[in-house]
């Protein structure tokens, strides 16, 4: 241990009086750990918990944000969204996208122990079997549904819906596809807004597949989604609740909060580069220090910060690094590429339903009564996140066969590289070609969704699930204190717009069902007079907004096909550096991503422990 490290750590120990009460006690803080994990969010806490099960292994998590204080906007599902712009949010924006009506969009990103799971909207679902099997087809042995299912199960404990909800909506739970010993409590809301009945009936009327339990790999059609919530208190269960609180008493598990990892410390020569530790900066007192990693550094900062940290540390595209005078440590141009996202296009509707979530904000009496009910019985409107039945629709469900095959032919005829950004590295282009092939083959598949449909209050949100567009995350300075340019280039490939237009047309079919006509549902925006492909495409561009399902920017894959990490999640060209967060997903599943992030992180922990 060098004196400078000791000095650095002494300041850290002294400066975290609040965090210390729950994390590292002053005398406990070590100068080195076997594993140093950057980021205490969904993936980081999962891996930390599992690695620290081995009592002879020491683990440190370094998290930029603080512990939350159990604020109502974090714990109460009906107040979801209340954490955006709070002190638990990085409060950053995505890059300008000139195609969209709103060129710059704020992007909530959790900055707390628990990461984005502290402020997200709690849908806890999985994609379809084929969404994961295609990862393996991209050259990733073992990354398939069968294997991941074990880890999806390991991560969670399912509880059935309350009997009245189960009976009214005929919700069945297939015990063979859920876990019962996992740390994340997951169950269904105890209160469904009455319009849920109409939307379910509308799906039934159209003969849409409703799987017995969408966790079984048939995650298409329409389904009731569980959330990460406690079965008794109905409150949110964050990654902190699940994976930190259950491990915090282990003497070999430490967490350092309010501390930014500013750089990876590398050593060795090209070909045998390793990471000796990390440089950190206190966000409370503007001082810096270092921590040594004896075995590995594990990156879990999320799809924006992880590629940024690699780049500021000299791992990335030499042309980009040179612009910011960063010495190249590992020439790995793929870092930051393959960044993609889901895109929401909200149709505004009106209807005469007498009870909807916005009553909580427009009627103070109703809100007060509902709050009292929540506090007293953990029941009623505030237990709901507002959307419990979600549509995940294959193209052939929303489109007729001629449009489906026309879209597939258009995709097959497209110049694959035409809509990629300038200067996309050759390896990334090769990887994208492989993805493109898989996406296009699966386009007409009956068992894999391309559009999500969310009915929420006065919106029908049509959401793109299998984007063809790809962008990148690139640094805009050499400092982790600055925001990188995170640009998914969503909708740059016109196929994405065309698929969304089909989604809008299908939403209109839904509006015309008897079940929605009963509520006198009518479209307000874009308005029923907007019908041509061109006008609907213009609406998609005007109204499209990030779904905040950021992924893929340090993708897992063969190096010659744009991989940043291999199938063991190791960064190419570095001996002891892994990535375990949402950035490693090669292709987002058609679902909300967090359950997949937790499953991947559970699997990552077993890989690191040499168990698979
Ligand atoms: C508004 C919103 C709503 C969402 N709703 C849902 C939903 O309903 N269902 C769903 O499945 N998914 C949802 N998601 C997505 C889901 O929350 C993420 O996919 C998931 O949390 C990603 O996990 P992660 O481990 O990659 O990153 P995160 O959970 O974001 O964790 C990253 C952590 O690393 C820390 N960190 C980063 N860089 C550094 C650094 N240099 N030094 C120290 N610490 C660092 C961050 O502060 C953060 O705590 C939502 C996301 C958003 C933004
Ligand atoms: C986040 O940004 C918004 C808009 O720029 C601002 O109003 C708000 O104060 C910021 N919040 C924090 C915690 O910095
Ligand atoms: C209830 O769901 C089960 C399982 O999906 C299904 O077999 C059954 O037909 C459904 N019953 C009704 C009345 O819809
Ligand atoms: C809820 O809002 C609707 C209008 O959207 C209104 O007709 C109804 O009276 C409201 N109900 C309550 C309880 O506030
Ligand atoms: C507001 O809510 C109260 C309590 O539910 C209800 O009695 C009242 O009619 C509602 N007001 C309106 C305008 O709907
Ligand atoms: C198929 O749907 C498209 C709209 O996507 C429509 O223009 C076309 O007329 C339909 N074709 C048939 C054969 O129904
Ligand atoms: C990038 O940095 C420059 C110089 O600091 C700044 O002017 C610009 O706004 C930044 N761009 C983005 C997208 O943040
Ligand atoms: C909504 O409109 C339908 C059809 O006109 C009507 O039967 C129903 O009673 C109305 N509901 C409310 C709450 O006004
Ligand atoms: C649809 O109607 C609205 C309101 O009347 C009008 O502003 C808009 O231009 C129309 N759009 C089209 C494509 O006709």
């Amino acid at each position: 241990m060098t004196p400078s490290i000791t000095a650095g750590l002494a300041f850290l120990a002294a400066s975290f009086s609040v965090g210390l009460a729950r994390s590292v006690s002053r005398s406990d803080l070590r100068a080195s750990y076997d594993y140093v994990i950057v980021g205490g969010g969904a993936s980081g806490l999962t891996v930390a918990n599992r690695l620290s099960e081995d009592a002879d292994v020491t683990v440190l998590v370094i998290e930029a944000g603080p512990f939350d204080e159990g604020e109502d906007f974090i714990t109460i599902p009906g107040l979801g969204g209340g954490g955006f712009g709070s002190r638990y949010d990085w409060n950053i924006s995505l890059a300008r996208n000139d195609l969209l009506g709103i060129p710059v969009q704020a992007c909530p990103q959790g900055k707390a122990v628990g990461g984005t799971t502290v402020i997200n909207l709690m849908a806890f679902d999985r994609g379809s079997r084929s969404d994961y099997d295609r990862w393996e087809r991209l050259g990733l042995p073992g990354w398939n549904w069968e294997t991941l299912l074990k880890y999806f199960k390991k991560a969670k404990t399912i509880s059935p819906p309350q009997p009245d909800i189960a009976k009214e909506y005929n919700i069945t739970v297939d015990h063979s596809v859920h876990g019962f010993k996992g740390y994340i409590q997951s169950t269904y809301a105890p209160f469904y807004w009455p319009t849920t009945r109409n939307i379910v009936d509308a799906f039934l009327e159209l003969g849409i597949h409703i799987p017995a339990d969408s966790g079984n790999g048939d995650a298409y059609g329409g389904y009731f989604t569980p959330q990460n919530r406690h079965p008794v208190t109905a409150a949110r269960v964050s990654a902190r609740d699940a994976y930190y609180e259950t491990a915090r008493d282990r003497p070999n598990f430490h967490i350092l909060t309010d501390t930014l990892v500013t750089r990876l410390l590398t050593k060795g020569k090209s070909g045998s580069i390793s990471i000796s530790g990390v440089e950190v900066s206190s966000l409370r007192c503007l001082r810096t220090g270092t921590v040594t990693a004896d075995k590995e550094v594990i990156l879990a900062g999320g799809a924006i910060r992880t590629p940024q940290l690699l780049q500021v540390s000299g791992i990335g595209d030499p042309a980009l690094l040179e612009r910011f005078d960063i010495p190249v440590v590992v020439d790995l141009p793929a870092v930051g590429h393959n960044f993609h996202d889901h895109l929401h296009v909200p149709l505004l509707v009106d209807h005469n339903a007498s009870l909807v979530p916005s009553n909580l904000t427009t009627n103070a009496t109703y809100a007060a009564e509902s709050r009292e009910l929540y506090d007293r019985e953990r029941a009623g409107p505030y237990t709901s996140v507002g959307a419990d039945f979600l549509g995940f629709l294959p193209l052939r469900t929303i489109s007729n066969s001629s449009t489906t095959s026309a879209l597939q032919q258009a995709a097959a005829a497209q110049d694959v590289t035409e809509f990629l950004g300038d200067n996309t590295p050759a390896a990334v282009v090769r990887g994208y070609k492989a993805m493109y092939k898989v996406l296009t083959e699966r386009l007409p598949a009956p068992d894999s969704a391309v559009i999500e449909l969310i009915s929420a209050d006065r919106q029908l949100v049509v959401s793109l699930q299998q984007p063809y567009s790809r962008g990148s995350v690139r640094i805009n300075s050499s400092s982790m204190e600055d925001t990188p340019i995170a640009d998914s280039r969503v909708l740059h490939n016109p196929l994405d717009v065309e698929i969304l237009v089909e989604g809008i047309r299908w939403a209109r079919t839904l509006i015309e069902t008897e079940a929605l006509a009963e509520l006198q549902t009518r479209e307000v925006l874009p308005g029923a007079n907007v019908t041509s492909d061109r006008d609907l495409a213009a609406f998609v561009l005007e109204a499209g907004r990030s779904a905040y399902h950021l992924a893929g920017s340090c993708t897992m894959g063969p190096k010659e096909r744009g991989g940043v990490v291999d199938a063991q999640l190791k960064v190419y060209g570095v001996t002891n550096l892994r990535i375990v967060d949402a950035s490693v997903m090669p292709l987002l599943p058609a679902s909300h991503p967090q359950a997949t992030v937790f499953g991947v992180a559970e699997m990552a922990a077993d890989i690191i422990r040499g168990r698979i």
Side-chain angles (χ1 to χ4, degrees), residues 222-261:
Y223 60 76
F224 298 92
T225 187
Q227 289 108 15
N228 43 313
R229 67 163 74 233
H230 196 276
V232 177
T233 66
R236 174 197 301 272
V237 171
S238 70
R240 170 198 169 168
D241 302 317
Y243 285 98
Y244 172 74
E245 296 298 338
T246 55
R248 54 180 283 200
D249 295 333
R250 297 176 190 161
N252 58 330
F253 175 26
H254 289 171
I255 188 164
L256 201 51
T257 62
D258 305 274
T259 303
L260 183 70
V261 174

Short mmCIF file of all heavy atoms in Angstrom, two decimals, residues 222-261:
data_model
loop_
_atom_site.label_atom_id
_atom_site.label_comp_id
_atom_site.label_asym_id
_atom_site.label_seq_id
_atom_site.Cartn_x
_atom_site.Cartn_y
_atom_site.Cartn_z
N GLY A 222 -50.98 -9.70 -25.25
CA GLY A 222 -51.23 -8.74 -24.18
C GLY A 222 -51.04 -9.44 -22.85
O GLY A 222 -51.37 -10.62 -22.73
N TYR A 223 -50.46 -8.75 -21.88
CA TYR A 223 -50.29 -9.42 -20.59
C TYR A 223 -50.32 -8.46 -19.40
O TYR A 223 -50.09 -7.27 -19.54
CB TYR A 223 -49.03 -10.28 -20.57
CG TYR A 223 -47.68 -9.60 -20.81
CD1 TYR A 223 -47.08 -8.84 -19.81
CD2 TYR A 223 -46.99 -9.78 -22.00
CE1 TYR A 223 -45.83 -8.26 -20.01
CE2 TYR A 223 -45.74 -9.20 -22.21
CZ TYR A 223 -45.17 -8.45 -21.21
OH TYR A 223 -43.93 -7.89 -21.41
N PHE A 224 -50.63 -9.05 -18.27
CA PHE A 224 -50.62 -8.30 -17.01
C PHE A 224 -49.19 -8.30 -16.50
O PHE A 224 -48.58 -9.37 -16.38
CB PHE A 224 -51.54 -8.98 -15.99
CG PHE A 224 -52.96 -9.00 -16.46
CD1 PHE A 224 -53.46 -10.08 -17.18
CD2 PHE A 224 -53.79 -7.93 -16.22
CE1 PHE A 224 -54.75 -10.08 -17.65
CE2 PHE A 224 -55.10 -7.92 -16.69
CZ PHE A 224 -55.58 -9.00 -17.41
N THR A 225 -48.65 -7.14 -16.22
CA THR A 225 -47.24 -7.13 -15.86
C THR A 225 -47.05 -6.97 -14.35
O THR A 225 -47.68 -6.14 -13.71
CB THR A 225 -46.45 -6.06 -16.62
OG1 THR A 225 -45.06 -6.21 -16.33
CG2 THR A 225 -46.86 -4.66 -16.25
N PRO A 226 -46.17 -7.84 -13.80
CA PRO A 226 -45.81 -7.63 -12.40
C PRO A 226 -44.86 -6.43 -12.28
O PRO A 226 -44.34 -5.94 -13.29
CB PRO A 226 -45.07 -8.91 -12.02
CG PRO A 226 -44.86 -9.69 -13.27
CD PRO A 226 -45.46 -8.96 -14.41
N GLN A 227 -44.70 -5.97 -11.08
CA GLN A 227 -43.75 -4.89 -10.82
C GLN A 227 -42.79 -5.32 -9.72
O GLN A 227 -43.05 -6.29 -9.01
CB GLN A 227 -44.49 -3.60 -10.40
CG GLN A 227 -45.25 -2.93 -11.53
CD GLN A 227 -46.75 -3.06 -11.41
OE1 GLN A 227 -47.27 -3.42 -10.35
NE2 GLN A 227 -47.47 -2.80 -12.49
N ASN A 228 -41.69 -4.59 -9.59
CA ASN A 228 -40.78 -4.84 -8.47
C ASN A 228 -41.37 -4.11 -7.26
O ASN A 228 -41.10 -2.95 -7.04
CB ASN A 228 -39.34 -4.38 -8.79
CG ASN A 228 -39.26 -3.05 -9.49
OD1 ASN A 228 -39.97 -2.79 -10.45
ND2 ASN A 228 -38.41 -2.18 -9.01
N ARG A 229 -42.21 -4.83 -6.56
CA ARG A 229 -42.90 -4.25 -5.41
C ARG A 229 -43.06 -5.33 -4.34
O ARG A 229 -43.09 -6.52 -4.63
CB ARG A 229 -44.27 -3.71 -5.81
CG ARG A 229 -45.23 -4.80 -6.22
CD ARG A 229 -46.67 -4.34 -6.22
NE ARG A 229 -47.01 -3.46 -7.32
CZ ARG A 229 -47.58 -2.27 -7.17
NH1 ARG A 229 -47.84 -1.80 -5.97
NH2 ARG A 229 -47.92 -1.56 -8.22
N HIS A 230 -43.20 -4.88 -3.10
CA HIS A 230 -43.33 -5.81 -2.00
C HIS A 230 -44.78 -6.30 -1.88
O HIS A 230 -45.71 -5.49 -1.97
CB HIS A 230 -42.90 -5.13 -0.69
CG HIS A 230 -42.64 -6.12 0.39
ND1 HIS A 230 -43.65 -6.62 1.18
CD2 HIS A 230 -41.50 -6.73 0.79
CE1 HIS A 230 -43.14 -7.50 2.03
NE2 HIS A 230 -41.83 -7.58 1.82
N PRO A 231 -45.00 -7.60 -1.68
CA PRO A 231 -46.37 -8.12 -1.66
C PRO A 231 -47.19 -7.62 -0.47
O PRO A 231 -48.42 -7.59 -0.54
CB PRO A 231 -46.18 -9.64 -1.59
CG PRO A 231 -44.80 -9.86 -1.09
CD PRO A 231 -44.00 -8.68 -1.56
N VAL A 232 -46.55 -7.24 0.61
CA VAL A 232 -47.31 -6.78 1.78
C VAL A 232 -47.42 -5.26 1.80
O VAL A 232 -48.50 -4.70 1.94
CB VAL A 232 -46.66 -7.29 3.09
CG1 VAL A 232 -47.42 -6.74 4.30
CG2 VAL A 232 -46.65 -8.82 3.11
N THR A 233 -46.32 -4.56 1.62
CA THR A 233 -46.37 -3.09 1.71
C THR A 233 -46.79 -2.45 0.40
O THR A 233 -47.12 -1.27 0.37
CB THR A 233 -44.99 -2.52 2.07
OG1 THR A 233 -44.09 -2.77 0.98
CG2 THR A 233 -44.43 -3.13 3.34
N ALA A 234 -46.76 -3.20 -0.71
CA ALA A 234 -47.08 -2.70 -2.05
C ALA A 234 -46.06 -1.68 -2.57
O ALA A 234 -46.18 -1.18 -3.67
CB ALA A 234 -48.49 -2.11 -2.14
N ALA A 235 -45.05 -1.37 -1.77
CA ALA A 235 -44.09 -0.32 -2.13
C ALA A 235 -43.04 -0.84 -3.12
O ALA A 235 -42.83 -2.05 -3.25
CB ALA A 235 -43.39 0.18 -0.87
N ARG A 236 -42.38 0.11 -3.77
CA ARG A 236 -41.28 -0.22 -4.69
C ARG A 236 -40.19 -1.01 -3.96
O ARG A 236 -39.86 -0.73 -2.81
CB ARG A 236 -40.65 1.10 -5.20
CG ARG A 236 -39.39 0.88 -6.06
CD ARG A 236 -38.58 2.16 -6.21
NE ARG A 236 -39.36 3.22 -6.82
CZ ARG A 236 -39.47 3.43 -8.14
NH1 ARG A 236 -38.81 2.67 -8.97
NH2 ARG A 236 -40.22 4.42 -8.59
N VAL A 237 -39.65 -1.99 -4.66
CA VAL A 237 -38.45 -2.68 -4.20
C VAL A 237 -37.35 -2.33 -5.19
O VAL A 237 -37.38 -2.73 -6.35
CB VAL A 237 -38.67 -4.21 -4.15
CG1 VAL A 237 -37.36 -4.94 -3.89
CG2 VAL A 237 -39.70 -4.56 -3.08
N SER A 238 -36.39 -1.51 -4.74
CA SER A 238 -35.31 -1.09 -5.62
C SER A 238 -34.16 -2.08 -5.52
O SER A 238 -34.15 -2.98 -4.67
CB SER A 238 -34.82 0.30 -5.22
OG SER A 238 -34.13 0.21 -3.98
N ALA A 239 -33.15 -1.90 -6.38
CA ALA A 239 -31.95 -2.74 -6.29
C ALA A 239 -31.30 -2.57 -4.92
O ALA A 239 -30.70 -3.51 -4.40
CB ALA A 239 -30.97 -2.35 -7.39
N ARG A 240 -31.44 -1.38 -4.35
CA ARG A 240 -30.89 -1.19 -3.01
C ARG A 240 -31.60 -2.09 -2.00
O ARG A 240 -30.96 -2.78 -1.21
CB ARG A 240 -31.05 0.28 -2.60
CG ARG A 240 -30.72 0.48 -1.14
CD ARG A 240 -31.26 1.77 -0.59
NE ARG A 240 -31.12 1.77 0.86
CZ ARG A 240 -31.30 2.83 1.60
NH1 ARG A 240 -31.61 3.99 1.04
NH2 ARG A 240 -31.18 2.75 2.90
N ASP A 241 -32.94 -2.06 -2.02
CA ASP A 241 -33.71 -2.89 -1.08
C ASP A 241 -33.36 -4.37 -1.27
O ASP A 241 -33.20 -5.11 -0.31
CB ASP A 241 -35.22 -2.72 -1.31
CG ASP A 241 -35.66 -1.27 -1.17
OD1 ASP A 241 -35.19 -0.60 -0.22
OD2 ASP A 241 -36.45 -0.81 -2.02
N ALA A 242 -33.29 -4.76 -2.56
CA ALA A 242 -33.14 -6.18 -2.86
C ALA A 242 -31.72 -6.67 -2.58
O ALA A 242 -31.53 -7.68 -1.89
CB ALA A 242 -33.51 -6.44 -4.32
N TYR A 243 -30.74 -5.98 -3.11
CA TYR A 243 -29.39 -6.55 -3.13
C TYR A 243 -28.41 -5.88 -2.17
O TYR A 243 -27.38 -6.46 -1.85
CB TYR A 243 -28.81 -6.49 -4.55
CG TYR A 243 -29.39 -7.54 -5.47
CD1 TYR A 243 -30.43 -7.24 -6.35
CD2 TYR A 243 -28.91 -8.85 -5.43
CE1 TYR A 243 -30.95 -8.21 -7.20
CE2 TYR A 243 -29.44 -9.82 -6.27
CZ TYR A 243 -30.46 -9.50 -7.14
OH TYR A 243 -30.97 -10.47 -7.97
N TYR A 244 -28.71 -4.64 -1.73
CA TYR A 244 -27.79 -4.02 -0.77
C TYR A 244 -28.21 -4.35 0.66
O TYR A 244 -27.39 -4.83 1.46
CB TYR A 244 -27.73 -2.49 -0.96
CG TYR A 244 -26.93 -1.86 0.15
CD1 TYR A 244 -25.54 -1.98 0.17
CD2 TYR A 244 -27.57 -1.22 1.22
CE1 TYR A 244 -24.80 -1.47 1.22
CE2 TYR A 244 -26.82 -0.70 2.26
CZ TYR A 244 -25.44 -0.83 2.27
OH TYR A 244 -24.71 -0.34 3.30
N GLU A 245 -29.47 -4.14 0.98
CA GLU A 245 -29.91 -4.31 2.38
C GLU A 245 -29.72 -5.76 2.85
O GLU A 245 -29.56 -6.00 4.04
CB GLU A 245 -31.36 -3.87 2.55
CG GLU A 245 -31.62 -2.38 2.29
CD GLU A 245 -30.88 -1.44 3.25
OE1 GLU A 245 -30.49 -1.86 4.36
OE2 GLU A 245 -30.67 -0.26 2.87
N THR A 246 -29.74 -6.70 1.92
CA THR A 246 -29.60 -8.11 2.30
C THR A 246 -28.15 -8.54 2.46
O THR A 246 -27.87 -9.68 2.82
CB THR A 246 -30.27 -9.01 1.24
OG1 THR A 246 -29.71 -8.70 -0.04
CG2 THR A 246 -31.77 -8.80 1.20
N ALA A 247 -27.22 -7.63 2.14
CA ALA A 247 -25.80 -8.00 2.20
C ALA A 247 -24.98 -7.01 3.00
O ALA A 247 -23.78 -7.22 3.22
CB ALA A 247 -25.22 -8.10 0.78
N ARG A 248 -25.60 -5.94 3.48
CA ARG A 248 -24.84 -4.83 4.05
C ARG A 248 -24.08 -5.20 5.31
O ARG A 248 -23.08 -4.56 5.64
CB ARG A 248 -25.75 -3.64 4.34
CG ARG A 248 -26.93 -4.00 5.22
CD ARG A 248 -27.80 -2.81 5.48
NE ARG A 248 -27.17 -1.95 6.48
CZ ARG A 248 -27.83 -1.05 7.18
NH1 ARG A 248 -29.12 -0.85 6.97
NH2 ARG A 248 -27.22 -0.32 8.07
N ASP A 249 -24.50 -6.23 6.00
CA ASP A 249 -23.81 -6.59 7.24
C ASP A 249 -22.59 -7.47 7.01
O ASP A 249 -21.87 -7.79 7.96
CB ASP A 249 -24.79 -7.26 8.21
CG ASP A 249 -25.86 -6.28 8.65
OD1 ASP A 249 -25.59 -5.07 8.65
OD2 ASP A 249 -26.99 -6.73 8.96
N ARG A 250 -22.36 -7.86 5.78
CA ARG A 250 -21.18 -8.69 5.52
C ARG A 250 -19.91 -7.85 5.67
O ARG A 250 -19.79 -6.81 5.02
CB ARG A 250 -21.22 -9.27 4.10
CG ARG A 250 -22.40 -10.20 3.87
CD ARG A 250 -22.44 -10.65 2.41
NE ARG A 250 -23.69 -11.35 2.15
CZ ARG A 250 -24.19 -11.53 0.94
NH1 ARG A 250 -23.55 -11.07 -0.13
NH2 ARG A 250 -25.33 -12.17 0.78
N PRO A 251 -18.96 -8.29 6.47
CA PRO A 251 -17.76 -7.48 6.67
C PRO A 251 -16.91 -7.33 5.40
O PRO A 251 -16.11 -6.40 5.31
CB PRO A 251 -16.98 -8.24 7.75
CG PRO A 251 -17.58 -9.59 7.83
CD PRO A 251 -18.97 -9.51 7.30
N ASN A 252 -17.11 -8.21 4.43
CA ASN A 252 -16.29 -8.13 3.21
C ASN A 252 -16.96 -7.33 2.10
O ASN A 252 -16.50 -7.34 0.97
CB ASN A 252 -16.00 -9.55 2.71
CG ASN A 252 -17.28 -10.33 2.41
OD1 ASN A 252 -18.32 -10.10 3.04
ND2 ASN A 252 -17.23 -11.24 1.45
N PHE A 253 -18.08 -6.66 2.41
CA PHE A 253 -18.82 -5.88 1.41
C PHE A 253 -18.91 -4.43 1.86
O PHE A 253 -19.55 -4.12 2.87
CB PHE A 253 -20.21 -6.49 1.22
CG PHE A 253 -21.13 -5.71 0.30
CD1 PHE A 253 -20.64 -4.88 -0.71
CD2 PHE A 253 -22.50 -5.82 0.43
CE1 PHE A 253 -21.49 -4.17 -1.55
CE2 PHE A 253 -23.38 -5.13 -0.41
CZ PHE A 253 -22.86 -4.30 -1.39
N HIS A 254 -18.27 -3.55 1.11
CA HIS A 254 -18.30 -2.12 1.44
C HIS A 254 -18.90 -1.33 0.28
O HIS A 254 -18.81 -1.73 -0.87
CB HIS A 254 -16.89 -1.61 1.70
CG HIS A 254 -16.30 -2.11 2.98
ND1 HIS A 254 -14.99 -1.92 3.31
CD2 HIS A 254 -16.86 -2.80 4.01
CE1 HIS A 254 -14.76 -2.47 4.51
NE2 HIS A 254 -15.87 -3.01 4.94
N ILE A 255 -19.47 -0.19 0.64
CA ILE A 255 -19.96 0.72 -0.40
C ILE A 255 -19.51 2.14 -0.07
O ILE A 255 -19.53 2.54 1.10
CB ILE A 255 -21.50 0.62 -0.57
CG1 ILE A 255 -21.96 1.41 -1.79
CG2 ILE A 255 -22.24 1.06 0.67
CD1 ILE A 255 -23.38 1.07 -2.24
N LEU A 256 -19.07 2.84 -1.06
CA LEU A 256 -18.64 4.22 -0.91
C LEU A 256 -19.61 5.06 -1.73
O LEU A 256 -19.68 4.91 -2.94
CB LEU A 256 -17.22 4.33 -1.46
CG LEU A 256 -16.31 5.47 -1.04
CD1 LEU A 256 -16.25 5.60 0.47
CD2 LEU A 256 -14.92 5.21 -1.61
N THR A 257 -20.38 5.90 -1.06
CA THR A 257 -21.40 6.69 -1.76
C THR A 257 -20.87 8.09 -2.07
O THR A 257 -19.80 8.47 -1.60
CB THR A 257 -22.68 6.82 -0.91
OG1 THR A 257 -22.35 7.50 0.29
CG2 THR A 257 -23.26 5.46 -0.59
N ASP A 258 -21.63 8.84 -2.84
CA ASP A 258 -21.31 10.24 -3.17
C ASP A 258 -19.90 10.37 -3.74
O ASP A 258 -19.22 11.36 -3.52
CB ASP A 258 -21.45 11.13 -1.93
CG ASP A 258 -22.82 11.02 -1.30
OD1 ASP A 258 -23.72 11.74 -1.73
OD2 ASP A 258 -22.99 10.15 -0.40
N THR A 259 -19.49 9.34 -4.44
CA THR A 259 -18.12 9.31 -4.96
C THR A 259 -18.13 8.92 -6.43
O THR A 259 -18.67 7.87 -6.79
CB THR A 259 -17.27 8.29 -4.16
OG1 THR A 259 -17.33 8.64 -2.78
CG2 THR A 259 -15.83 8.29 -4.61
N LEU A 260 -17.51 9.77 -7.23
CA LEU A 260 -17.47 9.54 -8.67
C LEU A 260 -16.16 8.84 -9.04
O LEU A 260 -15.09 9.27 -8.63
CB LEU A 260 -17.54 10.90 -9.38
CG LEU A 260 -17.58 10.90 -10.91
CD1 LEU A 260 -18.92 10.36 -11.41
CD2 LEU A 260 -17.38 12.33 -11.43
N VAL A 261 -16.27 7.77 -9.79
CA VAL A 261 -15.06 7.17 -10.37
C VAL A 261 -14.71 8.00 -11.59
O VAL A 261 -15.51 8.13 -12.52
CB VAL A 261 -15.27 5.69 -10.75
CG1 VAL A 261 -14.05 5.15 -11.48
CG2 VAL A 261 -15.56 4.87 -9.50
#
